[in-house]
Amino acid sequence: MRTDHFIRFEHVDSVEEAEHGLLARLHGELLRIDAVRPDVVRLQLSRGGSFDPKPTYAVCVDPIAPDPDEPVAWRAERVDSDGEGAWRLVTDELVVTLWLDPFRVDVHRTDGSVVVESVPDSEGRYWTYATLNDAWTTRRRIGRDDAIYGLGEKGGHHNRRGRDFTMWNTDVLNEHATAEFRAGLDPDDPRSDMSSTEFDPYYVTIPFFYQRDATSGAAAGSFVDNGYRGEYEFSRDDEYRVTFHGGQWTEYVFAGPSMASILERYTWLTGRASLPPIWALGYHQCRWHAYSQADVERNAKRYRDDEFPCDGMWLDIDYMDGYRVFTWDSSRFPDPAGMLKGLSNQGFRTISIVDPGVKHDPGYSVYDDGLEQDVFCRTEGGDTYIGQVWPGNTAFPDFATPEARSWWGALNAKHVESGLAGIWNDMNEPATGEIAPQAMLFDKGRAKHERYHNQYALLMAMGTIEGLRAARPEARTFILSRAGSAGIQRYAANWMGDNQARWDHLWVSMPMACGFGLSGQPFVGADIGGFQGDTNPELFLRWMQMGALTPFCRNHSEINNIDQYPWSFGSEIHDLAREAVRLRYRLMPYIYSAFVRATETGEPVQRPLVLDHQDDPAVVDLDDQYLFGRDLLVAPVTEQGQTSRTVYLPAGDWYDWHTGEVHPGGQRITVETPLERIPLFARAGSTIPMWAEAPASTDGYRPESIELHVFDPLVDGRWESVLVEDDGLTVAAEGGDADEPARLTTTVVVERTDGEVSVEHSTAGPGYAGHARTRFDVVHHAAA
């Protein structure tokens, strides 16, 4: 990042106390420092003397509105320190110091530990804020061994330290979209290869990260509410740099010190995932292939004949008439409604792809209506912007306007009338093929492309969900999106895009999913088996075993690849893959309860060990295993021919899921990895709720009993686990206007005192329509 011509802000002219904190004047601009929560502060610097009240669509609350449940007590004071004038904003948990000359902003916790601290350059000058032609930059102190996490979807290791990142949603395998990021790189540099696990940028960019102090283990957080292209530079020893190429400096700083508390605050600001329909948590079959109606029905029948659990059948782009969105190819699909009804009767939900690109085709009703309604993006000269994707020349809806979002929502509502259960949003970076996107303007031509590029997928999802909710107000929605930005979790799940059928892509899906989870998106997964290239039996099986223990579980591959259905590699692979998916279905009560927790607290379903064991130096760089929910530890096989692997067990005691052997935490152990399983451990003291058997699908499955697998603790203490039951389909479980959500919440408490273990449970809630469980069956797992 070159900033040698940037103009630094160096002196504060005046400071006064404002309604929510401090207001300063400097270099003709205004600086606001607002106390948002006792542990959260907002920093804002004006452009042209005014503030942008809504920099992006990420923040979904009024951050400075009074909260009667958590009032923010603060005070402002003028201080002099070592002859330097300063003002302080003090809350119960943090102290913000605004230094006047030279200008800088530091944030500390009330115990004096650092949250954010300005750093001088080699000439003693501070770069708290510098600007050039709408771009702005800042530099801050970082410890030599501090770790960095977050930033949404990024390749490489989970700890982002030592690398630089670009925040620009990119169609990763498009040579035109990625050319500028590969230009000038040495051919041996992995970032020069679009398919490398180190390539950057990816489809989803979220300017939110954690800094973990290497000495204390304390974490601080930063979220820049800015949709423009940005850069984060974490490759220097003693400072990090942040640059955005437009927009205002609007930043939320989180004092932590726990990563979990930072994530809770961040998802309070940007929203949390809605309750997913339970079928969305099942196993899904997808392939880019020119299927016919008979092909889809044949695949569905094979799953049922094989007794292989499956909830979702997906349709990629070839179901459409010439890639025209919201159409069906009548020669391949003569009776879509009949097909969808037949699949539904067998317990399958069907999801179709919908790209934002509308074919430039006078006479095509969607294109003609879009022109008439004036909902397409324009160019500076007033033309309809034209890009190039699957249909050829395409127009793009101007999702920055509510009119375009409503128009798009109505199209989706009509589309699902055929019987579709959900919508798959692809190519929404937005991908424009060979044609550069910069001429695509938004807000009826008033906003340049860069303002909304990174937000395009979020805005598309907003329009899509508007239509789905209007069409089916009582039903939970399901949208899967390739691209996204801060707040996407409110509307859609994400998958990791066009990955490769390679072992390194199996591995990278772990740190990538954990990066999503720490960035507020709990519903995420990778294409099982790999999308691009031919998989092989061993890789496919190992990916199925891991994918069955991730939030989103979908088998997906590219056209012209070898088949990678579960039955494509012989009976042994088929049966072992089926066992992996059956385990997922048996764990459905546990998985669903983890998703409920995510909707309430922002806590991710798939998460790095450092989130729960922040003070353990051994997990700082650990990214080849993860926690699935709070109490299951998954250690996938990531190499061909691997017959054993090392697993790190964090604090506590851990039961080997397969053998029942108990291992104390805080150590590395070697675990056998025969073809039939990957290492899986349950936390001692936990209770894992499970179905006694794996159904063919979740559709209509209402068992009379749920198993409570209790794993005896080995030391005295108290452990609490939660099971949530509801109808899995309607919004009644979210409460709405009802006094209580239509659900049952069972809390299981396992307590060990003087070597004796007791198990108690209590169930609360009004219940729900269709509840059929009459009992719990306790399954006891003991160390001896």
PDB file of all heavy atoms in Angstrom, residues 386-401:
ATOM      1  N   ILE A 386     -24.155  -2.941 -19.203  1.00  0.00           N
ATOM      2  CA  ILE A 386     -24.173  -4.299 -19.727  1.00  0.00           C
ATOM      3  C   ILE A 386     -22.877  -5.008 -19.354  1.00  0.00           C
ATOM      4  O   ILE A 386     -21.782  -4.503 -19.621  1.00  0.00           O
ATOM      5  CB  ILE A 386     -24.354  -4.312 -21.263  1.00  0.00           C
ATOM      6  CG1 ILE A 386     -25.684  -3.653 -21.654  1.00  0.00           C
ATOM      7  CG2 ILE A 386     -24.261  -5.735 -21.812  1.00  0.00           C
ATOM      8  CD1 ILE A 386     -26.913  -4.376 -21.143  1.00  0.00           C
ATOM      9  N   GLY A 387     -23.028  -6.158 -18.711  1.00  0.00           N
ATOM     10  CA  GLY A 387     -21.900  -7.037 -18.436  1.00  0.00           C
ATOM     11  C   GLY A 387     -22.031  -8.308 -19.239  1.00  0.00           C
ATOM     12  O   GLY A 387     -22.922  -8.449 -20.084  1.00  0.00           O
ATOM     13  N   GLN A 388     -21.133  -9.261 -18.959  1.00  0.00           N
ATOM     14  CA  GLN A 388     -21.142 -10.519 -19.718  1.00  0.00           C
ATOM     15  C   GLN A 388     -20.996 -11.677 -18.754  1.00  0.00           C
ATOM     16  O   GLN A 388     -19.968 -11.838 -18.106  1.00  0.00           O
ATOM     17  CB  GLN A 388     -20.002 -10.521 -20.744  1.00  0.00           C
ATOM     18  CG  GLN A 388     -19.802 -11.843 -21.479  1.00  0.00           C
ATOM     19  CD  GLN A 388     -18.785 -12.738 -20.817  1.00  0.00           C
ATOM     20  OE1 GLN A 388     -17.773 -12.270 -20.320  1.00  0.00           O
ATOM     21  NE2 GLN A 388     -19.070 -14.025 -20.786  1.00  0.00           N
ATOM     22  N   VAL A 389     -22.077 -12.457 -18.623  1.00  0.00           N
ATOM     23  CA  VAL A 389     -22.001 -13.693 -17.841  1.00  0.00           C
ATOM     24  C   VAL A 389     -22.690 -14.807 -18.619  1.00  0.00           C
ATOM     25  O   VAL A 389     -22.627 -14.820 -19.853  1.00  0.00           O
ATOM     26  CB  VAL A 389     -22.569 -13.505 -16.415  1.00  0.00           C
ATOM     27  CG1 VAL A 389     -21.570 -12.779 -15.533  1.00  0.00           C
ATOM     28  CG2 VAL A 389     -23.865 -12.722 -16.422  1.00  0.00           C
ATOM     29  N   TRP A 390     -23.311 -15.772 -17.948  1.00  0.00           N
ATOM     30  CA  TRP A 390     -23.790 -16.976 -18.647  1.00  0.00           C
ATOM     31  C   TRP A 390     -24.733 -16.686 -19.818  1.00  0.00           C
ATOM     32  O   TRP A 390     -24.601 -17.320 -20.874  1.00  0.00           O
ATOM     33  CB  TRP A 390     -24.477 -17.915 -17.636  1.00  0.00           C
ATOM     34  CG  TRP A 390     -23.529 -18.434 -16.618  1.00  0.00           C
ATOM     35  CD1 TRP A 390     -23.531 -18.193 -15.272  1.00  0.00           C
ATOM     36  CD2 TRP A 390     -22.378 -19.254 -16.857  1.00  0.00           C
ATOM     37  NE1 TRP A 390     -22.471 -18.811 -14.656  1.00  0.00           N
ATOM     38  CE2 TRP A 390     -21.743 -19.478 -15.615  1.00  0.00           C
ATOM     39  CE3 TRP A 390     -21.815 -19.830 -18.001  1.00  0.00           C
ATOM     40  CZ2 TRP A 390     -20.602 -20.252 -15.468  1.00  0.00           C
ATOM     41  CZ3 TRP A 390     -20.674 -20.599 -17.869  1.00  0.00           C
ATOM     42  CH2 TRP A 390     -20.079 -20.802 -16.612  1.00  0.00           C
ATOM     43  N   PRO A 391     -25.677 -15.745 -19.727  1.00  0.00           N
ATOM     44  CA  PRO A 391     -26.567 -15.535 -20.883  1.00  0.00           C
ATOM     45  C   PRO A 391     -25.921 -14.745 -22.014  1.00  0.00           C
ATOM     46  O   PRO A 391     -26.558 -14.510 -23.042  1.00  0.00           O
ATOM     47  CB  PRO A 391     -27.729 -14.735 -20.279  1.00  0.00           C
ATOM     48  CG  PRO A 391     -27.535 -14.748 -18.802  1.00  0.00           C
ATOM     49  CD  PRO A 391     -26.080 -14.954 -18.578  1.00  0.00           C
ATOM     50  N   GLY A 392     -24.676 -14.302 -21.846  1.00  0.00           N
ATOM     51  CA  GLY A 392     -24.058 -13.374 -22.793  1.00  0.00           C
ATOM     52  C   GLY A 392     -24.158 -11.971 -22.230  1.00  0.00           C
ATOM     53  O   GLY A 392     -23.827 -11.722 -21.067  1.00  0.00           O
ATOM     54  N   ASN A 393     -24.616 -11.029 -23.022  1.00  0.00           N
ATOM     55  CA  ASN A 393     -24.810  -9.667 -22.527  1.00  0.00           C
ATOM     56  C   ASN A 393     -25.927  -9.641 -21.487  1.00  0.00           C
ATOM     57  O   ASN A 393     -27.011 -10.195 -21.714  1.00  0.00           O
ATOM     58  CB  ASN A 393     -25.155  -8.722 -23.674  1.00  0.00           C
ATOM     59  CG  ASN A 393     -23.927  -8.362 -24.498  1.00  0.00           C
ATOM     60  OD1 ASN A 393     -22.810  -8.745 -24.153  1.00  0.00           O
ATOM     61  ND2 ASN A 393     -24.126  -7.627 -25.578  1.00  0.00           N
ATOM     62  N   THR A 394     -25.648  -8.978 -20.364  1.00  0.00           N
ATOM     63  CA  THR A 394     -26.611  -8.994 -19.268  1.00  0.00           C
ATOM     64  C   THR A 394     -26.731  -7.621 -18.631  1.00  0.00           C
ATOM     65  O   THR A 394     -25.762  -6.871 -18.544  1.00  0.00           O
ATOM     66  CB  THR A 394     -26.195  -9.990 -18.164  1.00  0.00           C
ATOM     67  OG1 THR A 394     -24.844  -9.713 -17.787  1.00  0.00           O
ATOM     68  CG2 THR A 394     -26.298 -11.414 -18.629  1.00  0.00           C
ATOM     69  N   ALA A 395     -27.940  -7.333 -18.176  1.00  0.00           N
ATOM     70  CA  ALA A 395     -28.196  -6.154 -17.339  1.00  0.00           C
ATOM     71  C   ALA A 395     -28.232  -6.597 -15.882  1.00  0.00           C
ATOM     72  O   ALA A 395     -28.476  -7.774 -15.586  1.00  0.00           O
ATOM     73  CB  ALA A 395     -29.515  -5.500 -17.739  1.00  0.00           C
ATOM     74  N   PHE A 396     -28.002  -5.638 -14.980  1.00  0.00           N
ATOM     75  CA  PHE A 396     -27.915  -5.972 -13.559  1.00  0.00           C
ATOM     76  C   PHE A 396     -28.878  -5.095 -12.762  1.00  0.00           C
ATOM     77  O   PHE A 396     -28.858  -3.873 -12.898  1.00  0.00           O
ATOM     78  CB  PHE A 396     -26.486  -5.761 -13.048  1.00  0.00           C
ATOM     79  CG  PHE A 396     -25.514  -6.771 -13.575  1.00  0.00           C
ATOM     80  CD1 PHE A 396     -24.980  -6.644 -14.857  1.00  0.00           C
ATOM     81  CD2 PHE A 396     -25.144  -7.854 -12.797  1.00  0.00           C
ATOM     82  CE1 PHE A 396     -24.094  -7.581 -15.348  1.00  0.00           C
ATOM     83  CE2 PHE A 396     -24.252  -8.802 -13.281  1.00  0.00           C
ATOM     84  CZ  PHE A 396     -23.729  -8.667 -14.555  1.00  0.00           C
ATOM     85  N   PRO A 397     -29.704  -5.714 -11.909  1.00  0.00           N
ATOM     86  CA  PRO A 397     -30.606  -4.909 -11.081  1.00  0.00           C
ATOM     87  C   PRO A 397     -29.833  -3.960 -10.172  1.00  0.00           C
ATOM     88  O   PRO A 397     -28.774  -4.316  -9.639  1.00  0.00           O
ATOM     89  CB  PRO A 397     -31.367  -5.963 -10.262  1.00  0.00           C
ATOM     90  CG  PRO A 397     -31.263  -7.218 -11.065  1.00  0.00           C
ATOM     91  CD  PRO A 397     -29.922  -7.159 -11.734  1.00  0.00           C
ATOM     92  N   ASP A 398     -30.373  -2.786  -9.998  1.00  0.00           N
ATOM     93  CA  ASP A 398     -29.770  -1.763  -9.141  1.00  0.00           C
ATOM     94  C   ASP A 398     -30.281  -1.975  -7.720  1.00  0.00           C
ATOM     95  O   ASP A 398     -31.156  -1.257  -7.228  1.00  0.00           O
ATOM     96  CB  ASP A 398     -30.154  -0.382  -9.668  1.00  0.00           C
ATOM     97  CG  ASP A 398     -29.507   0.754  -8.887  1.00  0.00           C
ATOM     98  OD1 ASP A 398     -28.746   0.466  -7.931  1.00  0.00           O
ATOM     99  OD2 ASP A 398     -29.772   1.917  -9.223  1.00  0.00           O
ATOM    100  N   PHE A 399     -29.712  -2.977  -7.039  1.00  0.00           N
ATOM    101  CA  PHE A 399     -30.215  -3.346  -5.724  1.00  0.00           C
ATOM    102  C   PHE A 399     -30.005  -2.263  -4.670  1.00  0.00           C
ATOM    103  O   PHE A 399     -30.496  -2.400  -3.546  1.00  0.00           O
ATOM    104  CB  PHE A 399     -29.548  -4.651  -5.261  1.00  0.00           C
ATOM    105  CG  PHE A 399     -29.949  -5.860  -6.062  1.00  0.00           C
ATOM    106  CD1 PHE A 399     -28.979  -6.685  -6.627  1.00  0.00           C
ATOM    107  CD2 PHE A 399     -31.281  -6.171  -6.246  1.00  0.00           C
ATOM    108  CE1 PHE A 399     -29.340  -7.804  -7.362  1.00  0.00           C
ATOM    109  CE2 PHE A 399     -31.659  -7.298  -6.978  1.00  0.00           C
ATOM    110  CZ  PHE A 399     -30.679  -8.108  -7.537  1.00  0.00           C
ATOM    111  N   ALA A 400     -29.290  -1.205  -5.000  1.00  0.00           N
ATOM    112  CA  ALA A 400     -29.142  -0.102  -4.046  1.00  0.00           C
ATOM    113  C   ALA A 400     -30.440   0.682  -3.877  1.00  0.00           C
ATOM    114  O   ALA A 400     -30.559   1.477  -2.939  1.00  0.00           O
ATOM    115  CB  ALA A 400     -28.033   0.846  -4.500  1.00  0.00           C
ATOM    116  N   THR A 401     -31.409   0.456  -4.751  1.00  0.00           N
ATOM    117  CA  THR A 401     -32.692   1.147  -4.629  1.00  0.00           C
ATOM    118  C   THR A 401     -33.749   0.193  -4.082  1.00  0.00           C
ATOM    119  O   THR A 401     -33.778  -0.991  -4.443  1.00  0.00           O
ATOM    120  CB  THR A 401     -33.189   1.689  -5.982  1.00  0.00           C
ATOM    121  OG1 THR A 401     -33.552   0.588  -6.839  1.00  0.00           O
ATOM    122  CG2 THR A 401     -32.101   2.515  -6.655  1.00  0.00           C
TER     123      THR A 401
END
